[in-house]
Amino acid sequence: METFGVGMSEIVVRKGAAKYLCLGLGSCIGVAIYDPRADVSGMIHVMLPAAFPDRPVDQIGKFADTGIPALLMAMEKMGANKRNMKVAIAGGAQVFKFNNTGTNQLDIGRRNGEAVIEQLTKAGLKILAKDIGGTHGRTVTFTVPDGQVEVKTLSQGVSELCNLADNRERSAA
Amino acid sequence: MGVIITIDEMIDRTADLPVIPAVALRIMHEADSNTASASQIAMLLARDPALASRVLRLANSAYYGLSGQVFGLKEAVVVLGLRCVKNLALVAVSYPWLSKPLHGYGLDPKDLWMHSHGTAVAAMLAAQRSGRLRDDEAFTAGLLHDIGKLAMNVWLERKTEALIQLSSLNGWSFVECERTVLGYDHGQVGGRIAERWNLPLSVIDSARYHHEPDARPDPSLVVDAVHLGDYLASALGFGMGADGLQYALQPNTLVRLGLHPQDIDRIADDLERERRLQAESFEEIVA
Ligand SMILES: [Fe+2]
Ligand SMILES: [Fe+2]
């Protein structure tokens, strides 16, 4: 199976078997989406909550508000349907000691989490599992067709976050 | 626990600690002086032909869009500016040390380079946005801010796990853990290395105070820019190690730099692009 590294600001969409790797997420968020019926999957590595109105967008996948709609559209083009999409998100950490002076703006991780959830909700998608916030970096892997999403952290090692192919397995059983 | 050996003893006893080439050091001081001239910088560079040829290749790299048009050292200094050429020389000099793995910090090959270079670019962008300090000075200090890790690494190697546990159990930052286990942190060690190398004061201060700029008796804008740059490079996951995000952010740095919290996203946006473009065109030349 081919492994696709999903670098900062990148969007990767595939039909059929694939393995995605989002390496070293700090305040960034990895969003993994799977439509098991169409066997179309995708992942994005979001860096900031929103594009700037007065700046050109150099990479559409950089911002939650431009990247998530673009990811969904690319998946739909390959035959996926929003109604069958399962979503998992991970990342959005912040620095350990955040002298809280009411400047939430400095907490990029938390704002990324809020923006990603807002975009997914706006698109009518439910989030099956999320591992966001905290103060530790994460590496996320997502494999298709088994649908497994795993999160690796330095202190906890590897753990399964969820399985985005679950429903299909259940209905087939 | 407490002090096992002094900082100087640690530095003395660390095998394979790099040495800053004399020419690079002279260029750093020359670029900071008021009398700096293009021909002087070019003359200095010419004394180290290996370094000079890499600087020339960097000046001709895709990043500057002058590909193949810069023929001589003097021309490079005139076209790019002597402070830019100073930083190109430092990139060439420091890449080999910074791209080595540091197991004591959980850093794979190239991780510390990615983190240091990311911090340098972020500090430079913060300085440009602030307008209150020289951006090339921020880049230099950002590039060298974690040199203390080069010496601390060996001494932490079997203690990394314990430090991570200490941090999560007590809610301590990684520098607090270093101080508890070894008696001092990588900032203090880096500051001392920079002092012994005779690096410019802004580099010494940034190595020493980058995790706690508020602790410096009188604040330094370069240290503030490096602190913010380090925060952004860490948050964005550039070369993340065992210490990860276990540091404190001191928001006073923004106030001193005259930056607004809203500037953070804009600096991050630029940082992602500039760091990537520089790394793409610089790395094959300095590797
Ligand atoms: Fe540091
Ligand atoms: Fe650092």
Side-chain angles (χ1 to χ4, degrees):
Chain A
M1 198 187 307
E2 207 178 334
T3 300
F4 299 92
V6 188
M8 194 177 288
S9 309
E10 283 178 356
I11 297 175
V12 181
V13 173
R14 302 294 300 173
K15 186 166 176 71
K19 180 173 183 171
Y20 300 85
L21 175 67
C22 242
L23 210 64
L25 294 167
S27 56
C28 296
I29 296 199
V31 181
I33 308 185
Y34 189 32
D35 173 348
R37 252 187 233 181
D39 198 21
V40 170
S41 59
M43 197 161 186
I44 182 172
H45 181 156
V46 167
M47 185 187 140
L48 288 169
F52 307 97
D54 57 340
R55 281 184 169 195
V57 175
D58 59 350
Q59 289 184 94
I60 204 162
K62 201 175 212 175
F63 309 99
D65 69 340
T66 55
I68 288 175
L71 168 63
L72 297 178
M73 207 185 288
M75 288 181 68
E76 283 173 325
K77 255 191 196 152
M78 292 185 91
N81 189 317
K82 274 184 193 162
R83 274 177 308 180
N84 304 323
M85 288 183 190
K86 307 275 182 302
V87 188
I89 66 176
Q94 64 160 17
V95 292
F96 194 52
K97 283 194 180 174
F98 213 88
N99 294 9
N100 212 334
T101 50
T103 43
N104 272 338
Q105 186 70 23
L106 295 178
D107 188 349
I108 303 174
R110 195 170 101 178
R111 286 187 298 119
N112 276 341
E114 290 164 0
V116 163
I117 291 168
E118 188 194 318
Q119 288 299 322
L120 291 167
T121 309
K122 216 162 105 183
L125 297 179
K126 254 205 246 132
I127 300 166
L128 194 67
K130 55 175 187 273
D131 177 16
I132 55 173
T135 60
H136 48 278
R138 296 169 173 91
T139 287
V140 182
T141 54
F142 167 36
T143 47
V144 169
D146 68 316
Q148 196 169 53
V149 180
E150 287 181 337
V151 176
K152 185 181 159 194
T153 64
L154 210 76
S155 50
Q156 309 292 317
V158 180
S159 60
E160 183 180 297
L161 177 59
C162 65
N163 192 310
L164 297 182
D166 254 0
N167 276 10
R168 185 182 58 169
E169 282 169 9
R170 231 176 274 143
S171 57
Chain B
M1 290 187 238
V3 179
I4 301 164
I5 50 171
T6 67
I7 294 178
D8 276 304
E9 280 167 350
M10 168 186 275
I11 295 170
D12 289 335
R13 289 204 222 156
T14 304
D16 71 19
L17 197 65
V19 182
I20 184 119
V23 163
L25 185 63
R26 289 281 304 273
I27 290 172
M28 282 171 94
H29 286 288
E30 192 57 39
D32 280 345
S33 79
N34 296 324
T35 56
S37 74
S39 44
Q40 240 165 334
I41 298 282
M43 243 170 53
L44 280 169
L45 256 179
R47 289 186 198 167
D48 187 337
L51 179 60
S53 85
R54 274 178 297 161
V55 168
L56 212 50
R57 286 179 64 202
L58 287 170
N60 278 310
S61 70
Y63 182 74
Y64 295 106
L66 303 161
S67 300
Q69 294 177 55
V70 185
F71 300 109
L73 287 175
K74 172 113 188 261
E75 202 183 347
V77 181
V78 170
V79 173
L80 296 178
L82 53 93
R83 285 168 176 164
C84 172
V85 169
K86 166 201 69 174
N87 280 329
L88 290 182
L90 275 175
V91 163
V93 158
S94 64
Y95 181 86
W97 333 322
L98 297 176
S99 55
K100 281 195 286 188
L102 297 183
H103 301 298
Y105 283 95
L107 292 164
D108 289 334
K110 276 182 69 177
D111 277 350
L112 186 59
W113 153 256
M114 209 177 160
H115 170 72
S116 302
H117 178 241
T119 301
V121 174
M124 177 194 79
L125 292 167
Q128 284 168 356
R129 238 185 144 68
S130 156
R132 294 181 181 179
L133 69 158
R134 263 171 46 202
D135 62 348
D136 71 289
E137 224 181 334
F139 184 99
T140 307
L143 193 65
L144 300 175
H145 79 284
D146 269 338
I147 48 170
K149 288 184 178 176
L150 299 175
M152 291 279 276
N153 174 54
V154 192
W155 307 86
L156 280 186
E157 239 162 49
R158 275 178 299 274
K159 301 188 175 78
T160 316
E161 282 300 312
L163 259 79
I164 296 170
Q165 292 302 323
L166 213 55
S167 169
S168 64
L169 283 175
N170 300 312
W172 291 347
S173 74
F174 205 79
V175 275
E176 289 173 303
C177 299
E178 286 179 335
R179 277 178 225 143
T180 303
V181 172
L182 291 170
Y184 35 78
D185 60 54
H186 70 270
Q188 292 166 281
V189 173
R192 185 68 189 128
I193 294 174
E195 232 163 43
R196 288 170 50 152
W197 283 0
N198 274 316
L199 296 182
L201 187 63
S202 61
V203 178
I204 299 172
D205 279 343
S206 298
R208 187 165 285 148
Y209 294 109
H210 69 272
H211 289 298
E212 43 180 8
D214 292 348
R216 195 177 179 276
D218 61 307
S220 144
L221 292 177
V222 179
V223 179
D224 290 342
V226 171
H227 177 75
L228 267 188
D230 187 35
Y231 163 65
L232 274 173
S234 305
L236 296 179
F238 296 136
M240 199 186 293
D243 49 353
L245 306 177
Q246 310 299 103
Y247 293 109
L249 175 70
Q250 301 196 323
N252 286 345
T253 51
L254 261 100
V255 179
R256 288 192 290 263
L257 289 164
L259 296 173
H260 302 285
Q262 284 75 13
D263 290 319
I264 284 292
D265 284 15
R266 288 171 185 268
I267 296 172
D269 179 28
D270 292 335
L271 169 60
E272 186 281 323
R273 182 177 46 255
E274 292 305 306
R275 189 210 65 83
R276 175 170 41 85
L277 295 176
Q278 284 196 7
E280 277 167 11
S281 54
F282 291 179
E283 277 179 13
E284 65 174 293
I285 296 167
V286 291

